[in-house]
């Protein structure tokens, strides 16, 4: 073969080798690129997908509305102070009563017999005391004439003192039993209405039984009081004399004027609230003890207060937190202070602004520094 033929063969072989190297290199590069794309896709799929929202500024003109439980100004359960049988009951459920008015009359035959026996014991003690007094006087006279010894005279004087003590005890027992017979008439302690009656004619009532049911309950409903728990963030704005509006579900459109009369002046560490009392006149008895009401305080929201849906909150060992979207789509956990819970939204009084980007429904495992993937159109 000529040298020209050999040169062409070598050139063809070189070209084939170059083509083979190019094909192999291209395959390797394509495989490496595919592996990088797969790794990136896997990493993207591993990131939690989140939606981002913004807190909204709380309306400053809204009144502070809190639940309240209504109570009578005074309420007294009436128990029997003596054991006996109900002879008559003179008032019934819902009846108005005056202070000192008789509610029921009891028969207490055992107490009556004990009183008769106690009076007889008193008479015996008084007779013994009289005899001891006469004897002591006589012995003092004889002692002055040296007719008896000083020892015997002292004994007679001591006997008089003992008999006098027995008389006093018998007299106190008679007074106690007379008081018990007076308790057979149950009376109202103040003006009000009868809110419960749990007795019948002939029923046996036992005094001193802790498990016994009150025979009557009398409540003074001329004024109604309500206790309200005010969150700490608003406790600095409530004060005695503040006008409060009460609303009840059974009186749609009607508002009852009340006045804040006193405050506990201390924050309950368990609930983070301060207990206040409001009172309202109740001339028409429209307000009923035990009712549920809403108390509206003319307060403004705390400075910088914003609102979030409850789904954005994280409640854990670190307290109440929210997850914010930080630079590089990295999560940042921040502790916040909760104000009022308004159902669909919760007020945040500290730790958050309306400009912060908040992750809604954050995963329970989300920690500060974790990367997240923001869903399209989130946070708009």
């Amino acid at each position: 073969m000529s040298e020209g033929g050999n040169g062409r063969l070598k050139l063809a072989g070189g070209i084939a080798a170059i083509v083979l190297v190019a094909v192999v290199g291209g395959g390797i590069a394509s495989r490496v690129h595919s592996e990088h794309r797969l790794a990136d896709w896997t990493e993207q799929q591993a990131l939690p997908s989140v939606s981002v929202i913004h807190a909204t500024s709380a309306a400053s003109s809204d009144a502070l509305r809190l639940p309240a439980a209504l109570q009578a100004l005074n309420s007294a359960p009436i128990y029997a102070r003596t054991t006996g049988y109900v002879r008559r009951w003179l008032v019934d459920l819902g009846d108005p009563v005056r202070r000192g008015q008789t509610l029921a009359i009891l028969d207490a035959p055992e107490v009556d017999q004990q009183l008769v026996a106690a009076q007889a014991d008193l008479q015996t003690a008084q007779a013994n005391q009289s005899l001891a007094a006469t004897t002591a006087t006589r012995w003092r006279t004889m002692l002055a004439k040296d007719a008896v010894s000083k020892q015997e005279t002292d004994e007679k004087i001591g006997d008089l003192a003992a008999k006098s003590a027995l008389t006093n005890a018998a007299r106190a027992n008679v007074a106690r039993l007379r008081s018990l017979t007076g308790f057979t008439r149950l009376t109202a302690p103040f003006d009000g209405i009868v809110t419960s009656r749990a007795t019948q004619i002939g029923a046996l009532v036992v005094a001193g039984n802790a498990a016994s049911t009150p025979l009557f309950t009398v409540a003074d409903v001329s004024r109604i009081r309500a206790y309200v728990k005010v969150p700490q963030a608003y406790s600095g704005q409530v004060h005695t004399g503040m006008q409060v509006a009460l609303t009840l579900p059974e009186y749609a459109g009607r508002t009852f004027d009340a006045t804040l009369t006193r405050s506990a002046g201390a924050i309950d560490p368990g609930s983070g609230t301060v207990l206040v009392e409001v009172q309202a006149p109740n001339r028409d008895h429209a307000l009923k003890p035990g009712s549920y009401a809403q108390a509206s305080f003319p307060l403004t929201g705390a400075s910088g207060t914003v609102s979030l849906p409850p789904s954005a909150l994280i409640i854990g060992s670190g307290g109440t937190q929210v997850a914010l979207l930080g630079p590089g789509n990295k999560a940042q956990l921040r502790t916040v202070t909760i104000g009022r819970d308004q159902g669909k939204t919760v007020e945040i009084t500290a730790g958050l602004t309306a400009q912060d980007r908040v992750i809604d429904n954050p995963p329970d495992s989300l920690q500060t520094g974790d990367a997240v993937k923001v869903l399209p159109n989130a946070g708009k």
Side-chain angles (χ1 to χ4, degrees), residues 248-298:
L248 284 81
E250 63 266 34
Y251 298 111
R254 181 177 177 181
T255 301
F256 298 87
D257 294 330
T259 304
L260 196 152
T261 55
R262 56 181 51 86
S263 168
I267 301 296
D268 180 5
S271 61
T273 59
V274 59
L275 184 65
V276 301
E277 177 189 318
V278 300
Q279 291 188 13
N282 192 30
R283 299 179 184 86
D284 59 354
H285 294 180
L287 300 175
K288 303 175 182 63
S291 298
Y292 168 82
Q294 283 279 345
S296 298
F297 295 78

Side-chain angles (χ1 to χ4, degrees), residues 128-129 131-133 135-137 139-140 150-167:
N128 292 333
Q129 181 188 16
L131 177 60
T135 301
T137 302
W139 280 71
R140 286 194 187 96
K150 181 70 167 58
Q151 176 64 33
E152 291 175 319
T153 302
D154 290 341
E155 290 177 357
K156 300 305 179 183
I157 295 174
D159 183 62
L160 172 60
K163 294 298 193 300
S164 298
L166 291 176
T167 300

Side-chain angles (χ1 to χ4, degrees), residues 212-273:
S212 60
T213 302
L215 277 64
F216 299 90
T217 302
V218 177
D220 179 5
V221 294
S222 59
R223 291 183 66 82
I224 289 291
R225 69 175 76 198
Y227 291 100
V228 187
K229 294 182 177 181
V230 178
Q232 179 180 351
Y234 301 90
S235 60
Q237 300 184 55
V238 299
H239 56 84
T240 302
M242 173 180 287
Q243 296 302 307
V244 181
L246 297 178
T247 56
L248 284 81
E250 63 266 34
Y251 298 111
R254 181 177 177 181
T255 301
F256 298 87
D257 294 330
T259 304
L260 196 152
T261 55
R262 56 181 51 86
S263 168
I267 301 296
D268 180 5
S271 61
T273 59

Side-chain angles (χ1 to χ4, degrees), residues 125-186:
Q126 288 173 334
N128 292 333
Q129 181 188 16
S130 178
L131 177 60
T134 301
T135 301
T137 302
R138 184 179 300 116
W139 280 71
R140 286 194 187 96
T141 303
M142 290 188 294
L143 177 63
K145 299 178 181 180
D146 292 329
V148 293
S149 67
K150 181 70 167 58
Q151 176 64 33
E152 291 175 319
T153 302
D154 290 341
E155 290 177 357
K156 300 305 179 183
I157 295 174
D159 183 62
L160 172 60
K163 294 298 193 300
S164 298
L166 291 176
T167 300
N168 292 335
R171 185 178 292 111
N173 191 37
V174 170
R176 179 183 66 85
L177 292 171
R178 281 177 177 167
S179 297
L180 288 179
T181 58
F183 291 143
T184 56
R185 301 179 72 89
L186 305 181

Side-chain angles (χ1 to χ4, degrees), residues 59 62-66 231 234 301 338-342 345-347:
D62 288 347
L64 176 64
R65 294 179 177 86
L66 299 170
Y234 301 90
I338 293 181
R340 289 181 290 175
D341 186 349
Q342 298 180 328
T345 60
V346 176
E347 286 188 356

